[in-house]
Amino acid sequence: MEARAQVIAERVLTLVVNSLDLNAIIARIDLNAVLSRVDIEEPIDRIQINEVLARVDLNSLLARVDLNAVVERVDVEEPIDRIQINEVLDRIDLNGLLDRVDLNQVIAKVDMDAVLDRVDINALAQRLDVEALVEHTDLGAVIARSSSGIASGLFDVIRNRTIALDEALARGVARLRRRPYTGPPGPPLALQDGAGS
Amino acid sequence: MTARAGEATPARAPAAAQESLQGHYAGFASRFLAFAVDVVVITVVAILVLAAINFVASILTGRSSNFNRSDTWVVIAYLAWGFIYFVQGWGLNGRTVGMALFGLQVLTDEGGDISGWRAVGRTLALPLSFLILCLGFLGILLGDRRRALHDVIAGTVVVYAWDARAARLRYLAQGSSPGPSAPSAPVPAPPPALPGSPSSPG
């Protein structure tokens, strides 16, 4: 009985989705207002994302949506700021999802330049767990092939040890002077905008 | 750039320098060790050149030549070579061999590249830090900007010019690199943690 209801529900869902003029509906919605009222984290936590995505015909859905019009109307920065991207990505079976999507077809419909112009790439990049990315993906192999290997590794270790020694000395001196030590000073004025980058 | 399904997750690297101190004023140990390396480089080169001169002189004159460090001209040549070494290193690259090894760089006190003349001034002022019982170096330990006396005179600072975060990523990359592209020798121990580091400036 439950299985039959499931089949009927899926059939009804398909018929309803097919009969909708998605562009017209989307055009009537103030997306920014909607997004600003949604606690994005809470529903994302409750949804079995992979199960939902498995039931949707992504290609036919994407083919019917004017992505540029949607992207144009959304304040991209605001919802991105509110989402814990790494947590969401951890929960998605990206390989399975990408296997089902004709990426060329999707990309062909998007004005990438316009999208990228509106995204603060630097802010986005700072929120990525780059270390996990390098450690667990093929990117690590690419970096390893392009770096000079054992010699640079040895230099890295020597430099790190001496910096640790610098810090130990500085902390010792601060203790003798009965002053709190808050880390190495700097950088100079001209470097303060771009130091450490 | 997909995650490698089915592969064993590599062991998590031990805690390392998560923060880059690039651009921060360098401490006493790094600077002292870099200077020690420079002295070794200068001396080794001077000894090799002196040996070559003795060899050539003995061939040309047919007599055994023995220029050594007790000879005034040898001392003067040694000091001149040291002067050229430091001026050339600081003036052209902002660093000597020792500083490059330890990831240090000399900048103006505002953070710009130092000119040739400033490099000359810093090199001439360097002996002063020694001549007053090495008290000229106390500023590195006690000063807010870790400047020695010759830094103050020349209007320079010494900073870490080495990106610890990039080094950390290189280490992780080596750990994740499979097959023949991975380094054949064992990867050295990971960079140690830097307790007390402030948040990264960038």
Side-chain angles (χ1 to χ4, degrees):
Chain A
M1 187 66 181
E2 194 172 315
R4 180 170 293 175
Q6 179 75 20
V7 171
I8 292 171
E10 287 180 12
R11 177 70 182 144
V12 170
L13 181 66
T14 305
L15 289 172
V16 171
V17 168
N18 287 338
S19 66
L20 291 175
D21 181 354
L22 286 173
N23 288 327
I25 294 173
I26 291 170
R28 294 172 61 189
I29 300 173
D30 183 353
L31 287 173
N32 290 325
V34 173
L35 287 172
S36 68
R37 292 173 57 194
V38 174
D39 178 2
I40 292 178
E41 298 290 346
E42 200 269 340
I44 285 176
D45 286 343
R46 286 168 49 204
I47 295 173
Q48 296 296 319
I49 293 177
N50 291 324
E51 284 181 22
V52 173
L53 291 174
R55 294 172 56 192
V56 178
D57 181 355
L58 286 171
N59 285 326
S60 70
L61 197 63
L62 291 170
R64 294 169 55 207
V65 177
D66 182 355
L67 285 176
N68 287 326
V70 175
V71 169
E72 188 66 30
R73 294 177 55 213
V74 175
D75 178 1
V76 180
E77 301 285 353
E78 200 271 340
I80 286 178
D81 285 345
R82 292 163 57 202
I83 298 175
Q84 297 295 321
I85 290 179
N86 290 325
E87 285 179 20
V88 175
L89 288 177
D90 282 345
R91 294 176 56 203
I92 296 179
D93 176 8
L94 277 177
N95 289 329
L97 194 64
L98 292 174
D99 284 346
R100 297 172 50 216
V101 175
D102 182 353
L103 280 177
N104 289 328
Q105 189 183 341
V106 175
I107 291 171
K109 293 180 66 183
V110 178
D111 181 357
M112 294 300 287
D113 288 336
V115 175
L116 291 174
D117 282 348
R118 299 173 59 204
V119 176
D120 183 353
I121 300 280
N122 290 327
L124 201 59
Q126 282 186 349
R127 297 177 59 208
L128 286 176
D129 186 352
V130 180
E131 293 195 1
L133 199 65
V134 170
E135 199 171 7
H136 300 307
T137 68
D138 294 336
L139 184 61
V142 174
I143 294 174
R145 276 195 291 272
S146 64
S147 62
S148 54
I150 200 75
S152 66
L154 190 61
F155 285 154
D156 293 341
V157 172
I158 291 172
R159 291 167 179 176
N160 250 308
R161 301 284 181 206
T162 52
I163 288 178
L165 198 54
D166 287 339
E167 292 303 283
L169 272 174
R171 270 195 304 278
V173 170
R175 197 170 296 132
L176 286 175
R177 301 172 72 192
R178 299 185 178 187
R179 290 187 179 183
Y181 181 65
T182 56
L189 280 177
L191 295 183
Q192 281 179 5
D193 288 338
S197 57
Chain B
M1 197 165 62
T2 56
R4 290 188 227 120
E7 281 188 20
T9 304
R12 185 82 195 166
Q18 305 281 343
E19 316 274 0
S20 174
L21 298 183
Q22 193 174 20
H24 286 74
Y25 300 117
F28 185 84
S30 294
R31 293 183 60 172
F32 175 78
L33 290 172
F35 182 75
V37 169
D38 287 331
V39 170
V40 169
V41 170
I42 290 170
T43 305
V44 167
V45 170
I47 289 172
L48 290 176
V49 170
L50 197 59
I53 289 173
N54 280 332
F55 178 70
V56 171
S58 64
I59 289 176
L60 292 178
T61 62
R63 291 178 299 167
S64 173
S65 298
N66 188 22
F67 293 110
N68 57 49
R69 61 187 174 184
S70 62
D71 192 323
T72 307
W73 287 107
V74 170
V75 174
I76 291 173
Y78 177 79
L79 293 176
W81 156 232
F83 176 82
I84 292 168
Y85 173 89
F86 283 114
V87 170
Q88 183 270 341
W90 290 334
L92 289 184
N93 307 310
R95 64 184 69 180
T96 56
V97 173
M99 296 179 84
L101 178 64
F102 287 93
L104 307 179
Q105 186 175 10
V106 182
L107 300 173
T108 66
D109 47 11
E110 293 89 16
D113 292 333
I114 71 170
S115 64
W117 286 115
R118 203 183 288 255
V120 169
R122 190 172 197 269
T123 307
L124 291 174
L126 176 62
L128 294 178
S129 296
F130 287 97
L131 289 176
I132 50 173
L133 302 174
C134 294
L135 292 177
F137 295 104
L138 268 184
I140 302 176
L141 286 170
L142 303 177
D144 291 338
R145 303 177 70 187
R146 295 182 168 175
R147 300 168 85 192
L149 176 63
H150 56 280
D151 284 318
V152 176
I153 292 172
T156 58
V157 293
V158 178
V159 299
Y160 297 115
W162 164 68
D163 192 346
R165 184 164 172 76
R168 167 81 175 154
L169 293 180
R170 276 199 298 275
Y171 169 77
L172 293 173
Q174 285 175 350
S176 71
S177 176
S181 60
S184 54
V187 176
L194 295 178
S197 300
S199 61
S200 175

